[in-house]
């Protein structure tokens, strides 16, 4: 080691020692003073008494359920940590907060990071120039419902991003003596939960939404980051809503499937809360990354869209295009194109209730080039492919077809290779807890074709709902307002928040859409509004 290096190391040691002695001289103690308040506050009133007070070494709390890190608060609370940040090197510092829900970070009384608002786990950053020495720091956290967690990061000049270390956080010893009702806190009950992402207890798909729900869904974290289906369709596969599958209309991928209650519905149409959307949280049978669900030209699965993962918007039209879905009784069919091929897909549940199998029944026509269908994410080294079955852990993926198809694994992606063919190709891909290849082959041999199911099925919603309108009685005004009465509190348990309204050409009937994706046909909008009928269409 040369003399210059020794001088640099000695200078750094002197600076660190100086900072440490600054802290000692100011009677600073390790950690930040954390105050926990019942209720949600954009700005905590000076008169508000905290429910709990303690010193936290760091603000580095991963997403979890139950109460927040032993605070006995899990829903609808606000937290604040205050103290001092010790800076050993002057320069530009980048700070970030990741949280569910909102968070802020202030240095020297100024907001550096604003990550406030109701949202699932999300991260925002900001930068500021800091001089050598101590700086007041404040971190604020707001929790609504669902999971809770917050992590404060920094990236010093020339360094890497890490949670702000305990060695840089101090507080004035006197500031920790904040009064709170200790006896009330000790009597309060704790709500146990589990650490980590996606641990909110899952539930069934609500039946009153019908066969499917169009919504964004938080899938899981994968090797690239947060896996989300922004244009998702949750399809119910059984009469109780315990089994479902998630299709992503941007990428034509089957993003996930489950055979136990595994999805928690949050967000405006479901719980009335903004900045949230459903999350997969229970035992999921399979998932797929937020990448194309079918290979492009020459077997390419690389995402052509721009932006950070997960990317927004649909695949190029020449690659794949979503055409919509069909409802026939309890059956839901998807239609889309992949290249020049037309695809109909019908997901359903087969097998015994104690050993259910999810099957994707696909029919392809007009296919002039080979295709590759993405089946599932799999561990790179734990999968065994044996002919038309692929086994990983206790799950078996199987494929059967009237064509010569085969499984291929590339990294963590399992796909089915489909050769070009004239006429109709019928392919069944299955996901089950046990080997089910014989079941799949029987299904291929005996399954009906899908095209007839696109012609519509029997009515599903019963008789129309009837309301009586209200004629306006305004006099001497430029116009009169007649009111079309909305069927709130209807027997279908639908929340009638109107999202769109448009008349048909006859002037007495209209199509109405609602915030949760329903379409209603309304008739009887005539001169007397005496009998208005609302018929749920989809």
């Amino acid at each position: 080691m040369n003399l210059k290096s020794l001088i640099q190391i000695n200078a750094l040691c002197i600076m660190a020692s100086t900072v440490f002695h600054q802290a000692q001289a100011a009677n600073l103690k390790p950690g930040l003073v954390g105050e926990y308040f019942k209720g949600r506050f954009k700005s905590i009133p000076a008169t508000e008494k905290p429910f709990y007070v303690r010193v936290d070494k760091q603000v580095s709390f991963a997403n979890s359920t139950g109460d927040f890190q032993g605070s006995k608060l899990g829903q609808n609370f606000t937290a604040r940590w205050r103290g001092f940040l010790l800076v050993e090197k002057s320069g530009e510092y980048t700070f970030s907060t990741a949280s569910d829900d909102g968070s802020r970070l202030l240095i020297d009384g100024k907001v550096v990071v604003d990550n406030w608002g109701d949202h699932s786990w999300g991260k925002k950053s900001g930068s500021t120039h800091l001089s050598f020495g101590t700086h007041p720091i404040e971190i604020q956290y707001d929790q609504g419902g669902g999971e809770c967690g917050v992590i404060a990061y920094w990236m010093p000049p020339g360094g890497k991003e890490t949670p702000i270390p305990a060695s840089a956080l101090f507080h004035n010893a006197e500031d920790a003596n904040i009064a709170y009702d200790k006896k009330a806190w000790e009597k309060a009950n704790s709500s146990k939960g589990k650490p980590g992402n996606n641990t909110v207890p899952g539930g069934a798909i609500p039946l009153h939404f019908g066969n499917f729900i169009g919504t964004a869904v938080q899938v899981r974290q994968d090797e690239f980051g947060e896996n989300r289906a922004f244009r998702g369709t949750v399809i119910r596969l059984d009469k109780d809503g315990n089994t479902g599958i998630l299709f992503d209309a941007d990428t034509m991928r089957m993003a996930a499937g489950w055979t136990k209650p595994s999805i928690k519905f949050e967000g405006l149409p479901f719980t009335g809360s903004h900045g949230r959307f459903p999350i997969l949280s229970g035992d999921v049978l399979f998932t797929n990354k937020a990448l194309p669900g079918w290979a492009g030209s020459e077997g390419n699965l690389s995402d052509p869209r721009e932006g950070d993962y997960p990317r927004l918007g649909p695949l190029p039209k020449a690659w794949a295009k979503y055409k919509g879905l069909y409802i026939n009784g309890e059956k839901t069919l998807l239609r889309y194109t992949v290249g020049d091929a037309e695809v109909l897909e019908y997901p359903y549940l087969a097998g015994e209730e104690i050993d259910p199998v999810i099957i994707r029944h696909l029919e392809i026509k007009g296919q002039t080039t080979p295709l590759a269908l993405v089946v599932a994410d799999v561990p790179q080294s734990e999968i065994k492919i044996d002919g038309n079955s692929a086994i990983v852990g206790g799950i078996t993926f199987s494929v059967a077809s009237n064509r010569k198809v085969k499984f291929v694994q590339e990294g963590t992606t399992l796909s089915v290779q489909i050769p070009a063919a004239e006429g109709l190709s019928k392919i069944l891909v299955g996901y089950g807890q046990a080997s089910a290849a014989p079941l799949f082959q029987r299904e291929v041999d005996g399954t009906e074709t899908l095209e007839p199911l696109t012609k519509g099925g029997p009515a599903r919603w019963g008789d129309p709902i009837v309301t009586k309108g209200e004629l306006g009685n305004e006099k001497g005004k430029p116009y009169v307002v007649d009111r079309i009465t909305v069927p709130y509190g209807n027997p279908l348990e639908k929340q009638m928040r109107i999202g769109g309204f448009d008349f048909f050409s006859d002037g007495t009937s209209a199509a109405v859409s609602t915030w949760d994706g329903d379409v209603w046909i309304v008739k009887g909008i005539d001169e007397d509004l005496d009998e208005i009928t609302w018929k749920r269409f989809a």
Side-chain angles (χ1 to χ4, degrees), residues 138-207:
E138 180 174 335
I139 301 164
Q140 303 169 359
Y141 174 54
D142 169 53
Q143 160 64 2
E147 296 176 293
C148 49
V150 56
I151 301 176
Y153 299 88
W154 77 346
M155 185 166 65
K160 296 182 179 180
E161 183 183 74
T162 64
I164 301 175
S167 59
L169 298 173
F170 290 81
H171 69 278
N172 190 315
E174 295 178 357
D175 291 340
N177 298 322
I178 298 174
Y180 72 99
D181 193 337
K182 188 174 182 180
K183 289 184 178 179
W185 179 82
E186 289 176 345
K187 290 180 179 179
N189 294 323
S190 295
S191 176
K192 294 182 179 180
K194 298 179 181 179
N197 286 331
N198 302 316
T199 56
V200 179
I205 301 169
L207 302 184

Side-chain angles (χ1 to χ4, degrees), residues 336-371:
Y336 53 90
T337 60
V338 179
D340 57 0
E342 292 274 349
V343 181
L344 270 177
E345 178 166 356
Y346 166 44
Y348 65 97
L349 193 65
E352 301 293 334
E353 291 185 2
I354 58 173
D355 191 16
V357 177
I358 291 177
I359 294 181
R360 298 172 62 185
H361 175 180
L362 299 106
E363 290 185 353
I364 307 170
K365 62 181 180 180
Q367 181 192 348
T368 60
T369 60
L371 296 176

Side-chain angles (χ1 to χ4, degrees), residues 15-26:
M15 290 175 64
S17 177
T18 302
V19 172
F20 177 76
H21 287 298
Q22 277 187 347
Q24 281 191 323

Side-chain angles (χ1 to χ4, degrees), residues 211-483:
N211 289 31
F212 71 94
I213 302 173
T215 176
V217 177
Q218 173 79 31
V219 183
R220 289 287 167 91
Q221 278 215 348
D222 58 34
E223 58 196 275
F224 296 112
E226 293 287 349
N227 182 346
R228 298 187 178 109
F230 292 110
R231 198 173 164 206
T233 301
V234 178
I235 300 174
R236 178 171 57 85
L237 300 183
D238 68 344
K239 59 182 177 61
D240 297 320
N242 295 326
T243 302
I245 204 163
L246 171 64
F247 180 75
D248 181 0
D250 277 337
T251 60
M252 264 32 78
R253 64 170 170 144
M254 201 58 78
W258 56 96
T259 57
K260 299 177 182 179
S262 300
I263 185 166
K264 182 175 178 62
F265 284 93
E266 294 187 330
L268 199 59
F270 314 107
T271 60
S273 59
H274 290 266
R276 294 181 174 278
F277 48 85
I279 180 171
L280 284 172
S281 55
D283 294 328
V284 178
L285 191 61
F286 71 91
T287 61
N288 276 307
K289 292 180 281 290
L291 299 172
W294 292 76
S297 59
E298 300 178 358
N300 179 26
L301 281 170
S302 299
D303 196 338
R305 301 170 298 167
E306 297 181 350
D308 296 331
Y309 184 88
R311 294 170 179 171
L312 294 170
L315 293 172
K317 183 178 179 180
W319 185 313
K321 183 173 177 57
Y322 180 61
K323 296 287 190 176
L325 55 74
Y326 303 91
I327 300 295
N328 193 305
E330 293 297 309
K331 299 175 181 179
T332 305
L333 283 74
L334 303 159
R335 185 185 288 275
Y336 53 90
T337 60
V338 179
D340 57 0
E342 292 274 349
V343 181
L344 270 177
E345 178 166 356
Y346 166 44
Y348 65 97
L349 193 65
E352 301 293 334
E353 291 185 2
I354 58 173
D355 191 16
V357 177
I358 291 177
I359 294 181
R360 298 172 62 185
H361 175 180
L362 299 106
E363 290 185 353
I364 307 170
K365 62 181 180 180
Q367 181 192 348
T368 60
T369 60
L371 296 176
L373 167 67
V374 175
V375 174
D377 292 341
V378 293
Q380 194 159 354
S381 59
E382 297 179 13
I383 187 167
K384 177 183 178 182
I385 297 177
D386 183 8
N388 283 359
S389 291
I391 303 171
V392 54
I395 299 176
T396 297
F397 306 98
S398 292
V399 62
S401 176
N402 62 344
R403 308 296 181 192
K404 190 175 181 179
V405 298
K406 65 177 181 178
F407 277 124
V408 173
Q409 180 189 1
E410 295 183 13
T412 58
T413 299
L414 178 68
S415 63
V416 171
Q417 305 295 310
I418 308 168
E422 295 182 0
L424 185 69
S425 295
K426 182 185 292 187
I427 299 165
L428 269 69
V429 178
Y431 308 77
Q433 296 291 345
S435 178
L439 167 66
F440 301 148
Q441 191 57 56
R442 289 197 304 272
E443 293 287 324
V444 167
D445 295 340
T447 302
E448 60 186 327
T449 57
L450 298 181
E451 191 66 39
L453 298 177
T454 65
K455 308 306 179 184
R460 297 181 298 138
W461 303 118
D463 295 332
I465 298 170
V466 180
T467 64
K468 182 178 177 59
E470 299 176 7
L471 294 175
N473 57 7
E474 295 89 347
K475 296 180 180 180
K477 294 185 178 181
Y479 61 87
V480 175
V481 176
D482 296 331
R483 291 172 174 81

Side-chain angles (χ1 to χ4, degrees), residues 59 95-99 101-106 113-116 119 121-126 138-140 150-154 161 164:
V59 179
F95 294 88
S96 305
T97 64
S99 59
D101 289 289
S103 54
R104 293 193 191 100
L105 187 146
L106 297 83
V113 180
D114 190 349
N115 191 12
W116 207 250
H119 56 75
W121 188 262
K123 187 177 181 182
K124 288 189 177 181
S125 303
E138 180 174 335
I139 301 164
Q140 303 169 359
V150 56
I151 301 176
Y153 299 88
W154 77 346
E161 183 183 74
I164 301 175

